[in-house]
């Protein structure tokens, strides 16, 4: 019921205006303002990304070295038209308002720029982190060899939370492994964990195992992949991997706007390999008691919908949501739908 108030489709707005011409013009001006605000946000993110790309030149193997059973709470959502002015009143009473956003492989905190703006606008408190070797992190991706090292910025953030404060923890793609790792360490600090087309693995699984149907076994990938980076020398074990740009575009951004693809192409960095190949140790007593929600992306070519459905069946989250028309990056391709889902999860008692 709450979301019907929060998010109305454009045709609903037209009906409620009663066909009044002046009202229609005001709606149009409002829409133009939203578009202008988004454009300003995008320019700011692009500026930050260019700065990051310049910084990352110092790292070998990063940007400069790139070479070629489901709950009954299941929904299918399309882009809503959000009446954001009504939202703060609805979230004022929430016990947990802080939303920590964790990016996936190759991305950084910059990828959440639309999500941050929309969550702030509705009265929540979004926080982003750059995992080690990602985004603005000064760590060389080739030096990050364990999930503990990779997740360190997130773990420090949770450790430094005031006593009794909880957060909603959101992870995208392989950032889901960091969310699971954090949920095992700090179940008392995480109110809800949200996995967005993410690696919601079981105990003893590696993040890479989720992609095995598409990339082959980990052993085969390590032996044959053309995307591996040997940051310590060709005669040493691989330290990271990255996809060439055209391959990345077709896998990750098949539904995303061109300007967000351009932003990503100059911002994404190599992915530390070690954390992706590490088996997670998850206990029933800690991780198993966490409240988990999963967001499926139905036009995803990087983590196929069938694979996501399998993850949901095998890991039984409390709630499952589906976004039509979204590629692997719903924060770009369907930001309003993603916003609506995160807002609804935040309001679940």
């Amino acid at each position: 019921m709450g979301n019907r108030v929060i998010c109305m489709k454009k045709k609903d707005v037209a009906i409620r205006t009663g066909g009044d011409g002046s009202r229609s013009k005001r709606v149009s001006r409002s829409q133009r303002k939203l578009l202008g605000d988004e454009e300003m946000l995008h320019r700011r993110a692009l500026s930050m990304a260019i700065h990051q790309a310049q910084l990352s030149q110092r790292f070998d193997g990063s940007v400069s070295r790139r070479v070629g059973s489901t709950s009954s709470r299941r929904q299918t959502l399309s882009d809503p038209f959000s009446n954001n002015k009504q939202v703060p009143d609805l979230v004022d009473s929430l016990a947990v308002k802080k939303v920590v956003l964790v990016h996936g492989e190759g991305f950084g905190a910059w990828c959440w720029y639309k999500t941050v703006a929309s969550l702030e606008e509705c009265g929540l408190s979004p926080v982003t982190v750059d995992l080690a070797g990602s985004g603005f992190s000064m760590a060389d991706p080739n030096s990050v060899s364990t999930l503990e090292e990779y997740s360190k910025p997130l773990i420090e953030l949770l450790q430094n939370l005031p006593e009794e404060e909880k957060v909603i923890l959101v992870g995208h793609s392989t950032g889901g492994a960091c969310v699971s790792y954090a949920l095992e360490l700090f179940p008392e600090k995480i109110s809800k964990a949200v996995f967005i087309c993410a690696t919601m693995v079981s105990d003893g699984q590696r993040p890479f195992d989720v992609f095995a149907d598409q990339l082959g076994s980990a052993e085969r990938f390590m032996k044959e992949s053309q995307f591996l980076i040997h940051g310590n020398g060709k005669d040493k074990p691989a330290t990271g991997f990255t996809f060439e740009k055209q391959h990345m575009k077709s896998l990750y951004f098949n539904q995303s706007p061109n300007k967000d693809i351009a932003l990503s192409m100059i911002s994404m960095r190599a992915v530390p390999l070690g954390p992706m190949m590490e088996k997670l140790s998850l206990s029933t007593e800690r991780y198993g008691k966490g409240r988990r929600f999963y967001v499926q992306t139905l036009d995803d070519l990087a983590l196929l919908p069938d694979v996501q459905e399998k993850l949901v069946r095998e890991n039984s989250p409390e709630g499952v949501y589906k976004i039509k028309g979204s590629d692997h990056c719903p924060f770009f391709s369907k930001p309003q739908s993603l916003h609506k889902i995160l807002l609804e999860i935040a309001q679940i008692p």
Side-chain angles (χ1 to χ4, degrees):
M1 181 68 181
N3 282 291
R4 291 194 185 97
V5 176
I6 296 164
C7 302
M8 298 181 292
K9 293 183 180 179
K10 293 183 182 179
K11 65 179 182 181
D12 294 331
V13 174
I15 291 171
R16 296 185 188 199
T17 60
D20 180 74
S22 60
R23 176 60 176 163
S24 297
K25 289 178 182 177
R26 285 198 295 274
V27 171
S28 296
R29 283 197 295 271
S30 173
Q31 290 173 338
R32 284 198 297 271
K33 183 181 183 303
L34 287 174
L35 289 172
D37 290 346
E38 182 179 325
E39 185 64 31
M40 181 187 70
L41 281 168
H42 182 266
R43 287 178 181 175
R44 188 179 302 164
L46 185 59
S47 174
M48 292 174 65
I50 291 171
H51 178 59
Q52 179 219 288
Q54 292 169 342
L55 284 177
S56 67
Q57 301 302 313
R58 72 187 67 187
F59 299 122
D60 290 336
S62 63
V63 175
S64 60
R65 293 273 311 268
R66 285 198 185 138
V67 220
S69 90
T70 305
S71 141
S72 59
R73 193 184 240 333
R74 180 182 290 271
Q75 304 187 18
T76 299
L77 300 171
S78 57
D79 271 350
F81 181 79
S82 177
N83 185 354
N84 289 315
K85 291 183 180 179
Q86 299 183 33
V87 176
D89 295 337
L90 297 174
V91 300
D92 278 346
S93 59
L94 292 181
V96 178
K97 295 183 182 179
K98 184 171 286 186
V99 182
V100 179
L101 302 165
V102 183
H103 63 82
E105 69 283 357
F107 292 88
W110 53 267
C111 73
W112 297 107
Y113 77 96
K114 294 180 182 178
T115 308
V116 167
S118 64
L119 292 179
E120 284 180 342
E121 198 169 77
C122 73
L124 293 174
S125 302
V127 178
T128 59
V129 294
D130 281 317
L131 298 173
S134 307
F136 285 96
S137 166
M138 299 303 288
D140 181 351
N142 294 296
S143 70
V144 180
S145 57
T146 67
L147 190 60
E148 180 181 6
E149 293 171 342
Y150 189 50
S151 305
K152 187 177 179 181
L154 171 62
I155 300 308
E156 289 180 344
L157 184 153
L158 295 173
Q159 285 175 330
N160 292 328
L161 284 175
E163 192 173 355
E164 305 302 324
E165 183 175 356
K166 292 188 176 186
V167 303
I168 298 170
L169 189 54
V170 180
H172 169 245
S173 197
T174 56
C178 300
V179 169
S180 295
Y181 180 68
L183 195 54
E184 176 67 23
L185 293 179
F186 302 109
E188 72 285 353
K189 292 180 179 287
I190 300 169
S191 168
K192 297 159 190 164
V194 185
F195 295 78
I196 302 174
C197 51
T199 52
M200 186 172 60
V201 298
S202 305
D203 178 45
Q205 266 192 314
R206 298 172 288 199
F208 183 89
D209 292 341
V210 175
F211 298 91
D213 289 343
Q214 295 161 249
L215 297 177
S217 68
E219 293 71 26
R220 179 181 174 185
F221 182 81
M222 295 285 285
K223 186 182 297 185
E224 301 177 4
S225 177
Q226 58 182 314
F227 305 118
L228 293 176
I229 295 171
H230 295 262
N232 297 323
K234 282 290 183 183
D235 57 332
K236 302 291 184 181
T239 54
F241 68 92
T242 187
F243 298 114
E244 59 94 18
K245 288 185 177 181
Q246 288 308 313
H247 193 65
M248 183 73 74
K249 285 181 182 180
S250 62
L251 275 180
Y252 284 72
F253 308 112
N254 50 297
Q255 301 290 338
S256 292
N258 286 334
K259 62 183 181 181
D260 289 322
I261 299 174
L263 171 65
S264 300
M265 290 301 98
I266 65 169
S267 305
M268 295 183 75
R269 294 173 63 181
V271 184
L273 186 61
M276 300 303 103
M277 298 298 179
E278 184 177 327
K279 293 182 179 180
L280 271 74
S281 179
L282 304 173
S283 67
T284 305
E285 299 75 25
R286 298 181 69 79
Y287 171 81
K289 291 184 178 178
R291 299 183 68 184
R292 292 173 291 113
F293 299 82
Y294 200 93
V295 180
Q296 295 178 320
T297 43
L298 301 187
D299 282 87
D300 196 329
L301 299 181
L303 190 63
L304 296 176
D306 287 349
V307 176
Q308 295 182 46
E309 191 67 39
K310 180 181 178 184
L311 288 175
V312 165
R313 286 197 308 270
E314 293 178 349
N315 294 280
S316 301
E318 179 178 332
V320 177
Y321 298 80
K322 294 185 177 184
I323 305 180
K324 286 182 178 179
S326 175
D327 54 25
H328 196 57
C329 302
F331 40 75
F332 291 153
S333 58
K334 290 290 181 179
Q336 290 179 315
S337 292
L338 180 59
H339 167 75
K340 180 180 179 183
I341 290 171
L342 294 178
L343 193 56
E344 178 170 331
I345 292 173
Q347 293 177 76
I348 296 174

